[in-house]
Amino acid sequence: MTLNKDSKIYVAGHRGLVGSAIWNNLLERGYTRLVGRTHSELDLTDQQAVHRFFDEERPDAVVLAAAFVGGIMANSLYRADFIMQNMKIQCNVISEAYTHGVQKLLFLGSTCIYPKNAPQPMREDCLLTSPLEYTNEEYAIAKIAGLKMCESYNLQYGTNYIAVMPTNLYGPNDNFHLENSHVMPAMMRKVYLARLMHDGDWLSIGRDLDKRPVEGISGASPRQAITQMLAKYGIFDNRVVLWGTGTPLREFLWSEDMADASVHVLLNVDFSDIIGIEKYSSVHYGATTNGAVDRDHTAGRGGALPQLGEIRNCHINVGTGRELTIRQLSQLVAKAVGFQGTIEFDASKPDGTPRKLIDVEKLHRLGWTHRVEIEEGVSRLFQWYCNSLQS
């Protein structure tokens, strides 16, 4: 099912880390009929608002990159929000996409969907084989539900909804909040602020906090208040304290690589390609006399194709297939930031999943491989962060 340069594409979450990169990637490829809404313009948890939006815009394709996200601390504090907000977003967007005849939908999940002790590297078919990691269970369950919605709509209604599961992402427009950001940007900001404290560069510390205040503390706050707040997050003069033991292994993917993979899948991969059955396309995507997709509610039911057997795990892992420990990551960050102080690990705090390396064989088979390696990416991210403080 082909999208052309005149197709209208709605990118949900177009201001976020991945959404903004996907938006730019599409523009670079000549897809200019892009639609985006900020959270203040469209609350995706509001069912009626989402319905009105689809009535007005009638997109040909949807990229669902909007989500309620955060790191270990945020996942622990806001468990109800993580499952409820994400379920609402997914249900509203996917159901309205179907109701309004969207040709193609790309759903972005996360590799936290896999069991805590899944065999490494994690293949798509290890989904739901054993318990999840407790610290991000709610977010994982929501994302599993999202990929199952895509899979189930395809099997029942013959839609073309593809789910991609990216590994840990980082890059331009990342969230550097000290409480609810992911591991790399939080670590980078902490190391940077500790370096500035050692340098006595309070002007730059103030600029940083003016750009991204923490708990109401900005550059205008008294120095003592700033110092106390930073200490709460493990930031001291030439010393940083990070959560956990530093031993968990993690895989990281540059967000612009993720965007390129996402757009590659959106433009070149159909559900029939993923399940490897050519006949599926002709059975489920029967064209009507006017060329539109036939979405008769009975024609595409999975029960109509018993010869296909059980179809599951149709999502696609997106990553590099490379990993490093959190301690090794901290060393790369320190090098990029120019930090020569001490990095300590607080083993009383949770580590999260011990290892999260994904198998990317399916992705490679579908024609895409990553470009940016972690060493280059960390330096790029720090440069972006410094530039963001000047704007």
Side-chain angles (χ1 to χ4, degrees), residues 83-220:
I83 191 166
M84 185 59 74
Q85 300 298 324
N86 285 299
M87 288 293 291
K88 284 182 177 179
I89 291 169
Q90 295 163 191
C91 288
N92 291 340
V93 173
I94 293 174
S95 64
E96 292 300 332
Y98 171 71
T99 301
H100 290 82
V102 166
Q103 298 174 31
K104 192 82 175 278
L105 182 142
L106 186 73
F107 171 74
L108 276 68
S110 165
T111 53
C112 73
I113 62 170
Y114 293 119
K116 178 176 182 176
N117 297 312
Q120 305 286 322
M122 299 180 291
R123 293 170 51 88
E124 287 86 354
D125 59 10
C126 73
L127 180 68
L128 298 176
T129 55
S130 61
L132 298 164
E133 159 60 38
Y134 180 75
T135 56
N136 61 17
E137 190 173 43
E138 282 71 19
Y139 183 71
I141 289 172
K143 289 301 179 181
I144 291 170
L147 74 87
K148 285 295 182 182
M149 285 182 215
C150 293
E151 193 175 275
S152 300
Y153 267 83
N154 292 342
L155 294 173
Q156 181 171 347
Y157 298 132
T159 51
N160 201 10
Y161 300 166
I162 313 297
V164 290
M165 300 296 126
T167 189
N168 300 288
L169 300 174
Y170 69 105
N173 295 313
D174 218 331
N175 173 17
F176 285 81
H177 193 285
L178 292 179
E179 182 183 62
N180 59 18
S181 62
H182 286 126
V183 59
M184 190 188 300
M187 179 190 294
M188 184 171 285
R189 189 178 183 195
K190 288 177 181 181
V191 170
Y192 175 61
L193 288 169
R195 193 202 81 186
L196 293 178
M197 288 183 72
H198 180 67
D199 294 344
D201 190 350
W202 287 93
L203 181 63
S204 293
I205 292 174
R207 186 181 298 117
D208 180 283
L209 292 173
D210 282 338
K211 182 73 175 183
R212 298 176 177 87
V214 180
E215 296 185 359
I217 300 294
S218 69

Side-chain angles (χ1 to χ4, degrees), residues 60-361:
D60 299 302
V62 170
V63 176
L64 181 43
F68 186 83
V69 299
I72 291 178
M73 183 184 293
N75 273 272
S76 299
L77 292 174
Y78 310 118
R79 300 183 74 90
D81 288 340
F82 270 90
I83 191 166
M84 185 59 74
Q85 300 298 324
N86 285 299
M87 288 293 291
K88 284 182 177 179
I89 291 169
Q90 295 163 191
C91 288
N92 291 340
V93 173
I94 293 174
S95 64
E96 292 300 332
Y98 171 71
T99 301
H100 290 82
V102 166
Q103 298 174 31
K104 192 82 175 278
L105 182 142
L106 186 73
F107 171 74
L108 276 68
S110 165
T111 53
C112 73
I113 62 170
Y114 293 119
K116 178 176 182 176
N117 297 312
Q120 305 286 322
M122 299 180 291
R123 293 170 51 88
E124 287 86 354
D125 59 10
C126 73
L127 180 68
L128 298 176
T129 55
S130 61
L132 298 164
E133 159 60 38
Y134 180 75
T135 56
N136 61 17
E137 190 173 43
E138 282 71 19
Y139 183 71
I141 289 172
K143 289 301 179 181
I144 291 170
L147 74 87
K148 285 295 182 182
M149 285 182 215
C150 293
E151 193 175 275
S152 300
Y153 267 83
N154 292 342
L155 294 173
Q156 181 171 347
Y157 298 132
T159 51
N160 201 10
Y161 300 166
I162 313 297
V164 290
M165 300 296 126
T167 189
N168 300 288
L169 300 174
Y170 69 105
N173 295 313
D174 218 331
N175 173 17
F176 285 81
H177 193 285
L178 292 179
E179 182 183 62
N180 59 18
S181 62
H182 286 126
V183 59
M184 190 188 300
M187 179 190 294
M188 184 171 285
R189 189 178 183 195
K190 288 177 181 181
V191 170
Y192 175 61
L193 288 169
R195 193 202 81 186
L196 293 178
M197 288 183 72
H198 180 67
D199 294 344
D201 190 350
W202 287 93
L203 181 63
S204 293
I205 292 174
R207 186 181 298 117
D208 180 283
L209 292 173
D210 282 338
K211 182 73 175 183
R212 298 176 177 87
V214 180
E215 296 185 359
I217 300 294
S218 69
S221 300
R223 186 170 298 183
Q224 182 179 5
I226 293 175
T227 302
Q228 290 175 345
M229 180 276 294
L230 293 179
K232 176 181 175 181
Y233 291 96
I235 304 166
F236 307 92
D237 182 343
N238 220 31
R239 182 168 69 95
V240 174
V241 180
L242 302 175
W243 277 31
T245 63
T247 59
L249 287 156
R250 291 292 181 269
E251 174 184 12
F252 293 92
L253 179 67
W254 183 246
S255 61
E256 292 173 335
D257 268 358
M258 174 58 195
D260 194 64
S262 298
V263 175
H264 173 81
V265 170
L266 180 70
L267 301 180
N268 301 298
V269 178
D270 289 328
F271 185 62
S272 57
D273 300 319
I274 296 170
I275 63 176
I277 300 173
E278 294 179 4
K279 291 182 179 179
Y280 183 90
S281 181
S282 60
V283 171
H284 277 299
Y285 302 117
T288 62
T289 53
N290 63 4
V293 174
D294 180 4
R295 283 192 170 78
D296 183 280
H297 284 207
T298 59
R301 292 190 185 279
L305 298 170
Q307 70 273 24
L308 299 184
E310 293 185 354
I311 295 177
R312 54 165 59 96
N313 304 322
C314 303
H315 55 286
I316 306 167
N317 287 339
V318 182
T320 65
R322 294 187 57 195
E323 62 186 345
L324 75 169
T325 66
I326 296 299
R327 186 179 296 275
Q328 288 171 324
L329 174 65
S330 72
Q331 293 165 353
L332 287 180
V333 168
K335 181 179 178 181
V337 173
F339 177 74
Q340 297 181 333
T342 303
I343 296 178
E344 301 172 4
F345 288 87
D346 182 356
S348 69
K349 295 295 193 296
D351 269 332
T353 305
R355 191 182 182 201
K356 282 180 64 177
L357 179 66
I358 57 172
D359 185 300
V360 289
E361 180 185 350

